Amino acid sequence: MFLAATIAVLVALALTLVRLFAGPSLYDRVLALNSVGTKTVLLIGLVGFLTERPEFLDIALLYALINFAGTFVILKFFRYRAVGDMAHQSMDTLSADTPRDPRGEDRR
Amino acid sequence: MSASELLALALDAASWALLVTGGLMLVIGAIGLLRFPDFYTRLHAGGVIDTLGADLMLLGMALQAGFSLVTVKLLLIGLFLFFTSPTSTHATANAAYFAGLRPVTADDGDKDGGPKPGEPA
């Protein structure tokens, strides 16, 4: 039963990874990354049950917390180009009136 | 068959059903994430279905674990995902809109990312 669920999560994970690498916009990637994180939490829990070591759930809990924080840090970085102190930023980069990146494509 | 055996069978069936439904939802959400034409529709597929699918799977695992610390941890993860997954979906949509990404509408044609509605990708 847990094996079937694990295979389902793995299939979903593979499909999500295709979207993560295909893009095309940065926000598609962030969305896919968040989705991969959620599925990883489930996978860790399921593998814990499969190997009958439910202590894995501690790792899953920690991973859920880190995934949530990580998504927000990535989004904050790409909005303000800084993660910590933003006092040096001028106000015009914080305004929504002037989209800097019309299609949200990543710059390589 | 005694009452306790019947109860164990019912719990097994319920957790099996929850795990299968959750796994199906995850796969369907991932297919939507892969196939939908623009970012906001993908957000709908990925963000909404993942929340329910993940919580159903965690609930299925909790039914298997019985009354123990494991169940408490599973429910904690489920509660946490139930609140954080929509929050990060909203934050992603807000950041994309702020950066100037606009939804593809029917009169956009194919100039703005993705095929017209009704066309194969």
Side-chain angles (χ1 to χ4, degrees):
Chain A
M1 147 158 42
F2 288 123
L3 191 65
T6 310
I7 289 169
V9 173
L10 280 176
V11 168
L13 196 59
L15 292 173
T16 314
L17 277 178
V18 172
R19 174 53 68 198
L20 178 65
F21 286 110
S25 78
L26 166 72
Y27 300 98
D28 285 303
R29 286 172 210 264
V30 175
L31 176 65
L33 188 67
N34 190 37
S35 195
V36 166
T38 309
K39 277 157 199 151
T40 309
V41 170
L42 286 175
L43 199 61
I44 294 171
L46 283 169
V47 166
F49 272 97
L50 264 182
T51 56
E52 297 181 352
R53 291 171 66 192
E55 300 85 21
F56 272 62
L57 283 175
D58 295 330
I59 307 171
L61 188 53
L62 188 69
Y63 202 89
L65 288 160
I66 291 177
N67 183 42
F68 178 61
T71 304
F72 272 77
V73 169
I74 291 170
L75 288 174
K76 187 178 176 187
F77 177 75
F78 278 103
R79 181 179 286 199
Y80 301 117
R81 294 282 152 186
V83 173
D85 183 23
M86 288 183 294
H88 61 281
Q89 293 263 326
S90 59
M91 280 311 288
D92 61 315
T93 56
L94 304 181
S95 153
D97 300 333
T98 51
R100 290 162 293 125
D101 200 355
R103 287 189 57 194
E105 287 174 338
D106 9 12
R107 296 170 206 130
R108 293 199 187 93
Chain B
M1 190 182 279
S2 71
S4 64
E5 277 176 39
L6 210 63
L7 190 66
L9 193 70
L11 273 179
D12 252 11
S15 77
W16 177 230
L18 283 170
L19 280 172
V20 166
T21 317
L24 212 61
M25 285 208 174
L26 284 184
V27 173
I28 290 169
I31 292 172
L33 195 67
L34 197 61
R35 292 285 296 165
F36 273 167
D38 84 322
F39 169 70
Y40 292 95
T41 49
R42 281 177 211 140
L43 194 73
H44 193 66
V48 175
I49 301 222
D50 266 10
T51 314
L52 188 59
D55 270 333
L56 284 180
M57 291 197 93
L58 287 169
L59 219 57
M61 282 190 256
L63 286 189
Q64 277 292 309
F67 281 109
S68 63
L69 190 60
V70 173
T71 316
V72 176
K73 283 176 194 164
L74 280 167
L75 291 181
L76 214 59
I77 297 175
L79 193 72
F80 190 73
L81 279 182
F82 186 76
F83 285 110
T84 57
S85 185
T87 311
S88 35
T89 307
H90 168 78
T92 315
N94 187 27
Y97 195 80
F98 180 87
L101 198 70
R102 292 291 174 267
V104 176
T105 52
D107 45 46
D108 274 345
D110 50 0
K111 72 175 159 57
D112 199 359
K116 284 179 201 171
E119 270 184 7

